[in-house]
Amino acid sequence: MAILKIARMGHAVLRKAADPVEDPTATSIRGLVADMLETLADAGGVGLAAPQVHIPLRLMIFFVPDTRVELPEDPDDSAQDMTVLVNPGYEPLSEETSLGWEACLSVPGLTGAVPRYTRIRYWGTGLDGSRIERRASGFHARVFQHEYDHLDGVLYPQRLNDPSLFGFAEEIRRDPPSLRPG
Ligand code: NI
């Protein structure tokens, strides 16, 4: 196990589409995920995609802490244990989008309000080769879409629809601008 170096915005590995993983059950993939889990625990985020640790493969890890649930009445926006998804995909379940604050370990210190699909269905392969498929909404849907974007070389600042809703997290936390619906 090792704590890996996290690539920052501007690095070429964050700007290109990642390659599919040929064998999700390979020992090398298991080792990479172990290192990503350790790296995420050390850095203190909720998700990490392989390109962020300089590995251009379609693989992500994330979890949803119960403190981040936005739609408590919606079973698709519930707390999620650490999830490993290899070669993931998703589709929106409606055109509705929501605006919410995001941060990224590759864009340290900053935060921005990003529109994301409110409800999605996503899928992928687990490390044991099993298929994972879930519906997600609210923060659960947001964190998936954020991590998925990394696999296509997209960082959240590219998704801002209002650049005035972007800045240093320390400053924005003092007096957050209110968000209109996505
Ligand atoms: Ni990120």
Side-chain angles (χ1 to χ4, degrees), residues 47-49 52 103-107 146-147 150 155-156:
L48 190 66
Q52 291 183 274
C104 180
L105 294 171
S106 294
V107 192
H146 176 115
E147 299 310 328
H150 280 296
L155 297 178
Y156 82 80

Side-chain angles (χ1 to χ4, degrees), residues 12-21 49-52 54-60 87-88 147-154:
V13 74
L14 296 174
R15 287 186 268 123
K16 64 174 186 175
D19 298 319
V21 175
Q52 291 183 274
H54 305 84
I55 307 288
L57 290 176
R58 305 189 77 82
L59 190 166
M60 62 161 80
N87 299 332
E147 299 310 328
Y148 186 90
D149 263 355
H150 280 296
L151 309 183
D152 284 341
V154 174

